[in-house]
Each structure stands twice: as C-alpha cells, then as structure tokens.
Tab-separated table of all heavy atoms in Angstrom:
chain	number	residue	atom	x	y	z
X	325	GLU	N	-15.003	-0.449	5.047
X	325	GLU	CA	-15.058	-0.048	3.641
X	325	GLU	C	-15.916	-1.020	2.829
X	325	GLU	O	-16.747	-0.605	2.008
X	325	GLU	CB	-13.642	0.011	3.075
X	325	GLU	CG	-13.561	0.503	1.650
X	325	GLU	CD	-12.118	0.582	1.180
X	325	GLU	OE1	-11.289	1.183	1.883
X	325	GLU	OE2	-11.845	0.027	0.094
X	326	LYS	N	-15.752	-2.301	3.072
X	326	LYS	CA	-16.532	-3.313	2.350
X	326	LYS	C	-18.019	-3.202	2.694
X	326	LYS	O	-18.879	-3.331	1.817
X	326	LYS	CB	-16.014	-4.718	2.668
X	326	LYS	CG	-14.651	-4.985	2.090
X	326	LYS	CD	-14.095	-6.318	2.537
X	326	LYS	CE	-12.677	-6.475	2.008
X	326	LYS	NZ	-12.058	-7.716	2.449
X	327	LEU	N	-18.319	-2.964	3.965
X	327	LEU	CA	-19.716	-2.816	4.377
X	327	LEU	C	-20.356	-1.585	3.735
X	327	LEU	O	-21.467	-1.662	3.205
X	327	LEU	CB	-19.820	-2.733	5.905
X	327	LEU	CG	-19.643	-4.040	6.667
X	327	LEU	CD1	-19.394	-3.772	8.149
X	327	LEU	CD2	-20.855	-4.949	6.475
X	328	ILE	N	-19.663	-0.456	3.779
X	328	ILE	CA	-20.215	0.767	3.194
X	328	ILE	C	-20.390	0.616	1.689
X	328	ILE	O	-21.424	0.989	1.127
X	328	ILE	CB	-19.334	1.988	3.516
X	328	ILE	CG1	-19.372	2.283	5.014
X	328	ILE	CG2	-19.808	3.222	2.734
X	328	ILE	CD1	-18.348	3.314	5.466
X	329	SER	N	-19.394	0.057	1.034
X	329	SER	CA	-19.476	-0.130	-0.419
X	329	SER	C	-20.675	-0.992	-0.802
X	329	SER	O	-21.439	-0.655	-1.716
X	329	SER	CB	-18.173	-0.764	-0.918
X	329	SER	OG	-18.219	-0.954	-2.305
X	330	ARG	N	-20.852	-2.086	-0.096
X	330	ARG	CA	-21.992	-2.969	-0.379
X	330	ARG	C	-23.317	-2.262	-0.084
X	330	ARG	O	-24.285	-2.383	-0.838
X	330	ARG	CB	-21.863	-4.247	0.447
X	330	ARG	CG	-23.041	-5.185	0.381
X	330	ARG	CD	-23.192	-5.883	-0.991
X	330	ARG	NE	-24.329	-6.759	-0.963
X	330	ARG	CZ	-24.307	-8.029	-0.559
X	330	ARG	NH1	-23.171	-8.586	-0.160
X	330	ARG	NH2	-25.405	-8.747	-0.553
X	331	LEU	N	-23.353	-1.474	0.999
X	331	LEU	CA	-24.574	-0.742	1.349
X	331	LEU	C	-24.925	0.286	0.279
X	331	LEU	O	-26.095	0.442	-0.075
X	331	LEU	CB	-24.417	-0.066	2.712
X	331	LEU	CG	-25.727	0.399	3.317
X	331	LEU	CD1	-26.496	-0.778	3.890
X	331	LEU	CD2	-25.477	1.434	4.396
X	332	ILE	N	-23.935	0.964	-0.253
X	332	ILE	CA	-24.167	1.931	-1.336
X	332	ILE	C	-24.748	1.207	-2.551
X	332	ILE	O	-25.721	1.679	-3.161
X	332	ILE	CB	-22.866	2.682	-1.686
X	332	ILE	CG1	-22.470	3.619	-0.532
X	332	ILE	CG2	-23.021	3.451	-2.999
X	332	ILE	CD1	-21.069	4.200	-0.656
X	333	ASP	N	-24.177	0.066	-2.908
X	333	ASP	CA	-24.703	-0.727	-4.029
X	333	ASP	C	-26.149	-1.136	-3.775
X	333	ASP	O	-26.994	-1.066	-4.674
X	333	ASP	CB	-23.847	-1.972	-4.257
X	333	ASP	CG	-22.468	-1.664	-4.804
X	333	ASP	OD1	-22.241	-0.529	-5.286
X	333	ASP	OD2	-21.595	-2.565	-4.729
X	334	GLU	N	-26.439	-1.571	-2.552
X	334	GLU	CA	-27.808	-1.983	-2.204
X	334	GLU	C	-28.765	-0.794	-2.273
X	334	GLU	O	-29.891	-0.936	-2.762
X	334	GLU	CB	-27.827	-2.602	-0.803
X	334	GLU	CG	-27.064	-3.899	-0.676
X	334	GLU	CD	-27.780	-5.100	-1.285
X	334	GLU	OE1	-29.028	-5.086	-1.374
X	334	GLU	OE2	-27.090	-6.057	-1.680
X	335	ALA	N	-28.335	0.363	-1.788
X	335	ALA	CA	-29.187	1.560	-1.829
X	335	ALA	C	-29.516	1.941	-3.270
X	335	ALA	O	-30.661	2.287	-3.582
X	335	ALA	CB	-28.506	2.720	-1.105
X	336	ARG	N	-28.539	1.871	-4.138
X	336	ARG	CA	-28.775	2.160	-5.566
X	336	ARG	C	-29.762	1.154	-6.156
X	336	ARG	O	-30.675	1.522	-6.905
X	336	ARG	CB	-27.467	2.112	-6.341
X	336	ARG	CG	-26.617	3.326	-6.177
X	336	ARG	CD	-25.441	3.328	-7.173
X	336	ARG	NE	-24.664	4.531	-7.014
X	336	ARG	CZ	-23.422	4.569	-6.564
X	336	ARG	NH1	-22.782	3.462	-6.245
X	336	ARG	NH2	-22.787	5.716	-6.443
X	337	ALA	N	-29.570	-0.113	-5.827
X	337	ALA	CA	-30.449	-1.161	-6.367
X	337	ALA	C	-31.895	-0.973	-5.898
X	337	ALA	O	-32.832	-1.244	-6.648
X	337	ALA	CB	-29.934	-2.544	-5.955
X	338	ILE	N	-32.074	-0.521	-4.682
X	338	ILE	CA	-33.419	-0.256	-4.168
X	338	ILE	C	-34.044	0.929	-4.887
X	338	ILE	O	-35.259	0.978	-5.081
X	338	ILE	CB	-33.374	-0.005	-2.641
X	338	ILE	CG1	-32.985	-1.296	-1.910
X	338	ILE	CG2	-34.708	0.522	-2.117
X	338	ILE	CD1	-32.642	-1.101	-0.439
X	339	GLY	N	-33.214	1.888	-5.317
X	339	GLY	CA	-33.717	3.058	-6.017
X	339	GLY	C	-33.587	4.367	-5.256
X	339	GLY	O	-34.177	5.380	-5.647
X	340	TYR	N	-32.802	4.374	-4.204
X	340	TYR	CA	-32.589	5.613	-3.451
X	340	TYR	C	-31.716	6.574	-4.253
X	340	TYR	O	-30.830	6.153	-4.994
X	340	TYR	CB	-31.924	5.324	-2.101
X	340	TYR	CG	-32.816	4.584	-1.141
X	340	TYR	CD1	-32.439	3.346	-0.630
X	340	TYR	CD2	-34.036	5.116	-0.738
X	340	TYR	CE1	-33.251	2.664	0.261
X	340	TYR	CE2	-34.855	4.433	0.145
X	340	TYR	CZ	-34.455	3.214	0.641
X	340	TYR	OH	-35.269	2.544	1.516
X	341	SER	N	-31.952	7.878	-4.070
X	341	SER	CA	-31.126	8.893	-4.718
X	341	SER	C	-30.151	9.539	-3.737
X	341	SER	O	-29.244	10.259	-4.153
X	341	SER	CB	-32.009	9.985	-5.336
X	341	SER	OG	-32.714	10.682	-4.322
X	342	LYS	N	-30.348	9.262	-2.445
X	342	LYS	CA	-29.496	9.874	-1.427
X	342	LYS	C	-29.443	8.977	-0.191
X	342	LYS	O	-30.420	8.325	0.153
X	342	LYS	CB	-30.073	11.232	-1.032
X	342	LYS	CG	-29.228	12.028	-0.057
X	342	LYS	CD	-29.931	13.276	0.489
X	342	LYS	CE	-30.259	14.281	-0.554
X	342	LYS	NZ	-30.766	15.541	0.046
X	343	ILE	N	-28.274	8.992	0.452
X	343	ILE	CA	-28.096	8.330	1.744
X	343	ILE	C	-27.673	9.406	2.742
X	343	ILE	O	-26.748	10.174	2.476
X	343	ILE	CB	-27.010	7.236	1.700
X	343	ILE	CG1	-27.314	6.180	0.645
X	343	ILE	CG2	-26.861	6.596	3.077
X	343	ILE	CD1	-26.186	5.159	0.453
X	344	LEU	N	-28.343	9.452	3.881
X	344	LEU	CA	-27.997	10.373	4.960
X	344	LEU	C	-27.459	9.581	6.145
X	344	LEU	O	-27.712	8.376	6.261
X	344	LEU	CB	-29.234	11.155	5.412
X	344	LEU	CG	-29.885	12.074	4.383
X	344	LEU	CD1	-31.214	12.607	4.913
X	344	LEU	CD2	-28.953	13.208	4.005
X	345	LEU	N	-26.750	10.257	7.026
X	345	LEU	CA	-26.330	9.636	8.281
X	345	LEU	C	-26.050	10.709	9.318
X	345	LEU	O	-25.768	11.851	8.987
X	345	LEU	CB	-25.101	8.738	8.088
X	345	LEU	CG	-23.779	9.367	7.666
X	345	LEU	CD1	-22.977	9.840	8.880
X	345	LEU	CD2	-22.966	8.366	6.882
X	346	ASP	N	-26.189	10.306	10.579
X	346	ASP	CA	-25.719	11.132	11.686
X	346	ASP	C	-24.686	10.310	12.432
X	346	ASP	O	-24.774	9.090	12.503
X	346	ASP	CB	-26.864	11.585	12.597
X	346	ASP	CG	-27.713	10.449	13.132
X	346	ASP	OD1	-27.155	9.444	13.623
X	346	ASP	OD2	-28.942	10.556	13.076
X	347	SER	N	-23.677	10.984	12.944
X	347	SER	CA	-22.569	10.273	13.577
X	347	SER	C	-22.056	11.076	14.757
X	347	SER	O	-21.965	12.300	14.701
X	347	SER	CB	-21.455	10.072	12.547
X	347	SER	OG	-20.369	9.382	13.107
X	348	ASP	N	-21.713	10.361	15.804
X	348	ASP	CA	-21.171	11.018	16.983
X	348	ASP	C	-19.797	11.621	16.680
X	348	ASP	O	-19.039	11.071	15.872
X	348	ASP	CB	-21.045	10.003	18.121
X	348	ASP	CG	-22.404	9.575	18.638
X	348	ASP	OD1	-23.055	10.391	19.307
X	348	ASP	OD2	-22.814	8.427	18.353
X	349	PRO	N	-19.465	12.731	17.324
X	349	PRO	CA	-18.207	13.420	17.024
X	349	PRO	C	-16.956	12.608	17.343
X	349	PRO	O	-15.909	12.836	16.737
X	349	PRO	CB	-18.283	14.685	17.886
X	349	PRO	CG	-19.285	14.407	18.926
X	349	PRO	CD	-20.258	13.423	18.330
X	350	TYR	N	-17.033	11.653	18.251
X	350	TYR	CA	-15.858	10.859	18.611
X	350	TYR	C	-15.580	9.746	17.603
X	350	TYR	O	-14.603	9.027	17.721
X	350	TYR	CB	-16.010	10.269	20.026
X	350	TYR	CG	-17.312	9.532	20.245
X	350	TYR	CD1	-17.486	8.238	19.802
X	350	TYR	CD2	-18.366	10.162	20.884
X	350	TYR	CE1	-18.676	7.569	19.990
X	350	TYR	CE2	-19.567	9.500	21.075
X	350	TYR	CZ	-19.719	8.211	20.633
X	350	TYR	OH	-20.910	7.565	20.814
X	351	MET	N	-16.399	9.616	16.584
X	351	MET	CA	-16.217	8.566	15.575
X	351	MET	C	-15.425	9.085	14.375
X	351	MET	O	-15.803	8.900	13.222
X	351	MET	CB	-17.571	8.019	15.136
X	351	MET	CG	-18.320	7.320	16.235
X	351	MET	SD	-19.870	6.637	15.615
X	351	MET	CE	-20.441	5.749	17.034
X	352	SER	N	-14.300	9.716	14.641
X	352	SER	CA	-13.528	10.361	13.578
X	352	SER	C	-13.022	9.364	12.532
X	352	SER	O	-12.938	9.708	11.350
X	352	SER	CB	-12.375	11.168	14.166
X	352	SER	OG	-11.567	10.342	14.971
X	353	SER	N	-12.695	8.151	12.934
X	353	SER	CA	-12.269	7.147	11.940
X	353	SER	C	-13.387	6.855	10.954
X	353	SER	O	-13.152	6.750	9.752
X	353	SER	CB	-11.842	5.855	12.629
X	353	SER	OG	-10.703	6.067	13.405
X	354	ALA	N	-14.616	6.736	11.477
X	354	ALA	CA	-15.767	6.495	10.599
X	354	ALA	C	-15.994	7.682	9.677
X	354	ALA	O	-16.293	7.502	8.493
X	354	ALA	CB	-17.015	6.215	11.428
X	355	HIS	N	-15.823	8.903	10.189
X	355	HIS	CA	-16.015	10.097	9.348
X	355	HIS	C	-15.051	10.070	8.168
X	355	HIS	O	-15.439	10.360	7.034
X	355	HIS	CB	-15.823	11.378	10.151
X	355	HIS	CG	-16.713	11.466	11.343
X	355	HIS	ND1	-16.387	12.206	12.442
X	355	HIS	CD2	-17.895	10.899	11.635
X	355	HIS	CE1	-17.324	12.095	13.359
X	355	HIS	NE2	-18.261	11.295	12.887
X	356	GLY	N	-13.803	9.750	8.448
X	356	GLY	CA	-12.813	9.665	7.372
X	356	GLY	C	-13.172	8.595	6.359
X	356	GLY	O	-13.022	8.788	5.148
X	357	LEU	N	-13.658	7.469	6.846
X	357	LEU	CA	-14.063	6.382	5.954
X	357	LEU	C	-15.243	6.808	5.084
X	357	LEU	O	-15.236	6.605	3.868
X	357	LEU	CB	-14.403	5.141	6.769
X	357	LEU	CG	-14.824	3.899	6.001
X	357	LEU	CD1	-13.777	3.496	4.971
X	357	LEU	CD2	-15.087	2.757	6.972
X	358	TYR	N	-16.252	7.411	5.705
X	358	TYR	CA	-17.397	7.888	4.923
X	358	TYR	C	-16.950	8.898	3.858
X	358	TYR	O	-17.385	8.819	2.707
X	358	TYR	CB	-18.448	8.538	5.829
X	358	TYR	CG	-19.265	7.563	6.642
X	358	TYR	CD1	-19.339	7.673	8.029
X	358	TYR	CD2	-19.985	6.536	6.045
X	358	TYR	CE1	-20.105	6.790	8.793
X	358	TYR	CE2	-20.743	5.649	6.793
X	358	TYR	CZ	-20.795	5.781	8.163
X	358	TYR	OH	-21.554	4.908	8.903
X	359	LYS	N	-16.091	9.831	4.228
X	359	LYS	CA	-15.615	10.827	3.264
X	359	LYS	C	-14.872	10.161	2.116
X	359	LYS	O	-15.021	10.564	0.959
X	359	LYS	CB	-14.744	11.871	3.959
X	359	LYS	CG	-15.545	12.827	4.814
X	359	LYS	CD	-14.658	13.822	5.551
X	359	LYS	CE	-15.520	14.731	6.423
X	359	LYS	NZ	-14.713	15.662	7.217
X	360	SER	N	-14.075	9.133	2.418
X	360	SER	CA	-13.342	8.435	1.360
X	360	SER	C	-14.287	7.713	0.401
X	360	SER	O	-13.910	7.417	-0.734
X	360	SER	CB	-12.341	7.443	1.965
X	360	SER	OG	-12.994	6.285	2.453
X	361	MET	N	-15.517	7.450	0.847
X	361	MET	CA	-16.516	6.770	0.023
X	361	MET	C	-17.447	7.774	-0.678
X	361	MET	O	-18.412	7.369	-1.312
X	361	MET	CB	-17.336	5.809	0.876
X	361	MET	CG	-16.507	4.742	1.593
X	361	MET	SD	-15.644	3.620	0.486
X	361	MET	CE	-16.976	2.622	-0.115
X	362	GLY	N	-17.176	9.081	-0.525
X	362	GLY	CA	-17.935	10.095	-1.251
X	362	GLY	C	-18.941	10.882	-0.434
X	362	GLY	O	-19.588	11.789	-0.952
X	363	PHE	N	-19.100	10.564	0.841
X	363	PHE	CA	-20.017	11.316	1.685
X	363	PHE	C	-19.437	12.702	1.975
X	363	PHE	O	-18.216	12.860	2.069
X	363	PHE	CB	-20.237	10.592	3.024
X	363	PHE	CG	-21.156	9.406	2.949
X	363	PHE	CD1	-20.703	8.183	2.492
X	363	PHE	CD2	-22.480	9.510	3.355
X	363	PHE	CE1	-21.543	7.078	2.439
X	363	PHE	CE2	-23.327	8.412	3.307
X	363	PHE	CZ	-22.856	7.194	2.843
X	364	VAL	N	-20.318	13.681	2.119
X	364	VAL	CA	-19.919	15.040	2.482
X	364	VAL	C	-20.763	15.497	3.665
X	364	VAL	O	-21.897	15.036	3.852
X	364	VAL	CB	-20.082	16.031	1.304
X	364	VAL	CG1	-19.150	15.670	0.154
X	364	VAL	CG2	-21.515	16.100	0.822
X	365	GLU	N	-20.200	16.409	4.446
X	365	GLU	CA	-20.952	16.933	5.585
X	365	GLU	C	-22.121	17.774	5.090
X	365	GLU	O	-22.048	18.419	4.045
X	365	GLU	CB	-20.037	17.735	6.503
X	365	GLU	CG	-19.078	16.825	7.260
X	365	GLU	CD	-18.357	17.504	8.403
X	365	GLU	OE1	-18.962	18.367	9.079
X	365	GLU	OE2	-17.188	17.157	8.617
X	366	THR	N	-23.209	17.739	5.852
X	366	THR	CA	-24.434	18.443	5.493
X	366	THR	C	-25.104	18.948	6.768
X	366	THR	O	-24.638	18.672	7.874
X	366	THR	CB	-25.377	17.515	4.685
X	366	THR	OG1	-26.452	18.278	4.157
X	366	THR	CG2	-25.910	16.375	5.534
X	367	ALA	N	-26.190	19.650	6.592
X	367	ALA	CA	-26.966	20.147	7.733
X	367	ALA	C	-27.754	19.002	8.371
X	367	ALA	O	-28.005	17.983	7.728
X	367	ALA	CB	-27.928	21.236	7.257
X	368	PRO	N	-28.167	19.172	9.631
X	368	PRO	CA	-29.033	18.165	10.248
X	368	PRO	C	-30.300	17.950	9.415
X	368	PRO	O	-30.756	18.860	8.726
X	368	PRO	CB	-29.376	18.772	11.611
X	368	PRO	CG	-28.273	19.733	11.889
X	368	PRO	CD	-27.856	20.266	10.542
X	369	TYR	N	-30.848	16.761	9.477
X	369	TYR	CA	-32.070	16.450	8.738
X	369	TYR	C	-33.155	16.064	9.733
X	369	TYR	O	-32.878	15.535	10.816
X	369	TYR	CB	-31.832	15.355	7.690
X	369	TYR	CG	-31.151	14.111	8.208
X	369	TYR	CD1	-31.877	12.982	8.582
X	369	TYR	CD2	-29.768	14.060	8.319
X	369	TYR	CE1	-31.252	11.847	9.051
X	369	TYR	CE2	-29.126	12.919	8.794
X	369	TYR	CZ	-29.875	11.823	9.151
X	369	TYR	OH	-29.258	10.688	9.629
X	370	SER	N	-34.392	16.340	9.364
X	370	SER	CA	-35.510	16.228	10.311
X	370	SER	C	-35.761	14.799	10.788
X	370	SER	O	-36.260	14.605	11.898
X	370	SER	CB	-36.788	16.798	9.696
X	370	SER	OG	-37.130	16.086	8.527
C-alpha cells in the first residue's frame, strides 16, 4: 500500500494522467490492493 501510494504521488508529480498495469491472474492479493487504491479493470493495452 505504501509503495503504490508513493508511486501514484510520483506519477502525478511527473504529470501523468493515467497509470496502466498488467497482472498475472494468480496475484489476487495485488488485485485487491490495486482496487483499494482506485484502480479499475480495463481492456488490454497495446
């Protein structure tokens, strides 16, 4: 949680408007953590 929170702050400071990620299906704990930080599922990205 601390790592993701700091990364979000850093991304904003750099000037990004969006953060994407891909994650393996067996990483369900990480998925829950990302969702708790505001991430939502989306389509694959190129």
